Amino acid sequence: MRPDPLRSKAVLSDLARSPTPLGRRSFLGLGALLTGSLALGGKPATADPAQDSPPADAPWSQSIGAGVVDRPYGRPADTEASVIRRNVPWLTAGTESSVSFSPLQELQGIITPNGLFFERHHAGWPSIDPAQHKLMIHGLVERPLLLTMKDILRFPQTTRIHFIECPANGGMNWRAAQMNSLQFSHGMVSCAEWTGVKLSTLLEEVGIKKEAKWAMVEGADGAHMNRSLPLDKCLDDCLVVYAQNGEALRPEQGYPLRLVVPGWEGNVNIKWLRRIKLGEKPWHTREETSKYTDLMPDGTSRGFTWLMDAKSVVTFPCPEKPIDGPGLYEIRGLAWTGNGKVKRVDVSTDGGVNWQAARLHEPILSKALTKFTLPWRWDGRPALVASRVIDETGYVQPTVAQLRAQRGSNSIYHNNSIQTWQVKPDGSVFNVQLA
């Protein structure tokens, strides 16, 4: 059962009197105490001969380990077997047109491993023979082309790091806090290094007729997922990619070929890319009329809302990662924006009454995840932990109340509101929303 959000003035007053979060210098100064009882529970350290001795040899230190190619492809340690993508069984009728969520609470840095990158399929993922796969570019072009994978691999190669986020990420929180889990509330965002060919290079090869203003991009899956894109975006920064994080795309990520549209909603990053057609107007297909539109309070819908606005979330503490007693911790999180680069992230431990600038970790890349941290001494009292990102355009991540005032609560998509985690005295963490 989800607990009631902490909203009382008494609680917030207590939090306002709590010690100011530690700066970087003081955090480092206390680093030597982190392994002692003082850092964990506030009690003075006592002499313990056993703790003063080096660790005893464990069983795994007394024998020869497995040799090379014991795991030819490699895989995580057996004790990490629970770090996997997960789906919500009741969310969709089946798994073929569904989504799996990335375990953000377990990830370090900004790159999502290929096996943990979130999935979204509209008709399941097809098993494609790359020798048979072709990409057609036609419509308002001078020289229509039908390219094989061998043809595409001959074009100049480009590699960039970008995030992809489903517009429904956080959609279950539009009406109220649901899913007491970071993985299920925010796990439809991932970030990877993509390698392929600039779409502008391929379009230059076919020659664009002056009447062309739009492109229809289409996948080879059973749904033939397709979307209309403005030609200006195609020529700006879109990539036709065949590799992710240094290896060929995984089948569920579009093998052998997909489109990456930096900073725009996930569904336009067409997987299993088979066709690009140029035209004068958008196609207004199902995915851009009845689906992937935002229902407004007056009953009208916003269409072509491709851009993913700035968003952030604290990944520790979170419901899957509670706090183990009072002491010194580091609040950690991720921020991103489709507008370009993250400029600043503020963190609050009292539900937004006070904010403190977090440290941004390099690299800070355009349209990529950015890691942030803030040292925090938790005194064991209730806390409301949240983050707020400001991007390089000056856009400020809104509260859920601000977002609802503008767009109501009947939408599914583009919920980029501030996420609040309630920390209880026993260290457990819950998904809540503040009024």
Side-chain angles (χ1 to χ4, degrees):
M1 182 175 68
R2 190 177 66 249
D4 292 332
L6 283 178
R7 294 174 180 166
S8 74
K9 292 182 179 178
V11 169
L12 293 179
S13 177
D14 287 345
L15 290 168
R17 290 196 298 270
S18 64
T20 302
L22 297 173
R24 181 171 180 270
R25 183 180 300 274
S26 56
F27 178 75
L28 294 175
L30 290 172
L33 301 175
L34 278 173
T35 57
S37 60
L38 179 60
L40 297 176
K43 298 177 181 177
T46 56
D48 185 340
Q51 291 188 3
D52 291 340
S53 303
D57 258 2
W60 51 81
S61 300
Q62 302 176 29
S63 60
I64 296 175
V68 298
V69 300
D70 178 67
R71 297 174 173 179
Y73 185 74
R75 67 172 189 260
D78 293 343
T79 49
E80 300 295 319
S82 63
V83 182
I84 57 173
R85 293 180 294 223
R86 299 181 189 279
N87 70 322
V88 179
W90 52 260
L91 193 61
T92 54
T95 58
E96 295 82 6
S97 181
S98 189
V99 61
S100 75
F101 300 78
S102 181
L104 298 183
Q105 72 279 4
E106 302 288 355
L107 303 184
Q108 312 293 335
I110 65 169
I111 297 296
T112 310
N114 290 341
L116 299 176
F117 204 97
F118 85 94
E119 305 165 277
R120 174 70 174 103
H121 311 151
H122 292 76
W125 59 264
S127 180
I128 295 178
D129 178 358
Q132 303 296 318
H133 188 72
K134 294 181 175 63
L135 171 63
M136 173 183 279
I137 306 178
H138 65 134
L140 293 177
V141 301
E142 301 291 346
R143 300 172 294 279
L145 277 180
L146 188 60
L147 299 169
T148 66
M149 287 304 299
K150 286 186 177 180
D151 295 332
I152 291 169
L153 288 168
R154 294 171 59 186
F155 283 92
Q157 196 177 72
T158 294
T159 296
R160 293 205 302 262
I161 295 175
H162 291 300
F163 77 84
I164 293 180
E165 181 182 20
C166 177
N169 198 25
M172 287 184 282
N173 283 342
W174 260 112
R175 290 177 180 270
Q178 297 188 65
M179 306 302 295
N180 195 44
S181 158
L182 169 63
Q183 184 164 2
F184 292 136
S185 67
H186 286 74
M188 283 193 281
V189 64
S190 298
C191 186
E193 178 193 80
W194 307 100
T195 298
V197 184
K198 292 179 181 176
L199 178 53
S200 59
T201 299
L202 298 180
L203 294 178
E204 181 181 349
E205 188 72 11
V206 298
I208 302 170
K209 290 187 175 180
K210 63 179 182 181
E211 299 88 354
K213 302 296 180 187
W214 288 79
M216 188 277 288
V217 290
E218 181 181 82
D221 57 327
H224 284 61
M225 176 73 183
N226 60 23
R227 290 301 310 265
S228 301
L229 293 174
L231 188 57
D232 288 347
K233 179 65 174 177
C234 297
L235 296 173
D236 179 22
D237 59 0
C238 292
L239 299 175
V240 174
V241 308
Y242 41 78
Q244 179 180 354
N245 293 334
E247 65 176 9
L249 292 168
R250 299 284 179 94
E252 66 270 27
Q253 296 302 330
Y255 180 82
L257 200 65
R258 76 172 298 172
L259 189 65
V260 170
V261 186
W264 284 21
E265 61 186 20
N267 62 79
V268 301
N269 294 254
I270 295 295
K271 297 189 282 191
W272 315 288
L273 183 65
R274 68 183 290 270
R275 191 158 70 102
I276 300 172
K277 183 178 183 179
L278 302 192
E280 297 180 84
K281 299 178 181 178
W283 275 256
H284 292 296
T285 63
R286 186 192 83 125
E287 310 300 342
E288 46 210 29
T289 52
S290 65
K291 303 295 182 183
Y292 297 118
T293 59
D294 306 322
L295 188 60
M296 301 293 283
D298 64 359
T300 61
S301 294
R302 298 197 308 167
F304 296 125
T305 50
W306 305 286
L307 181 72
M308 300 307 293
D309 282 316
K311 192 171 179 178
S312 69
V313 66
V314 170
T315 57
F316 176 82
C318 71
E320 293 96 333
K321 295 289 183 183
I323 301 179
D324 188 21
L328 193 58
Y329 293 92
E330 185 176 66
I331 294 174
R332 297 171 181 154
L334 295 167
W336 61 96
T337 173
N339 284 319
K341 293 182 179 179
V342 168
K343 182 179 180 181
R344 171 177 166 170
V345 176
D346 295 329
V347 171
S348 175
T349 59
D350 55 13
V353 177
N354 297 286
W355 294 93
Q356 185 172 351
R359 174 193 170 199
L360 302 185
H361 292 246
E362 297 287 350
I364 302 170
L365 303 172
S366 179
K367 301 163 190 173
L369 296 187
T370 297
K371 178 182 175 181
F372 66 87
T373 59
L374 181 73
W376 180 44
R377 180 180 291 280
W378 184 51
D379 59 10
R381 290 188 289 181
L384 294 166
V385 179
S387 62
R388 176 182 66 186
V389 60
I390 299 98
D391 70 23
E392 62 179 346
T393 70
Y395 179 90
V396 181
Q397 184 179 3
T399 65
V400 69
Q402 291 170 326
L403 207 55
R404 287 199 187 110
Q406 182 183 64
R407 291 170 42 201
S409 58
N410 290 321
S411 183
I412 298 173
Y413 305 113
H414 295 275
N415 179 1
N416 67 320
S417 61
I418 291 172
Q419 170 67 46
T420 303
W421 301 124
Q422 176 197 29
V423 180
K424 290 198 164 188
D426 65 358
S428 58
V429 182
F430 294 86
N431 180 12
V432 299
Q433 288 188 355
L434 304 182

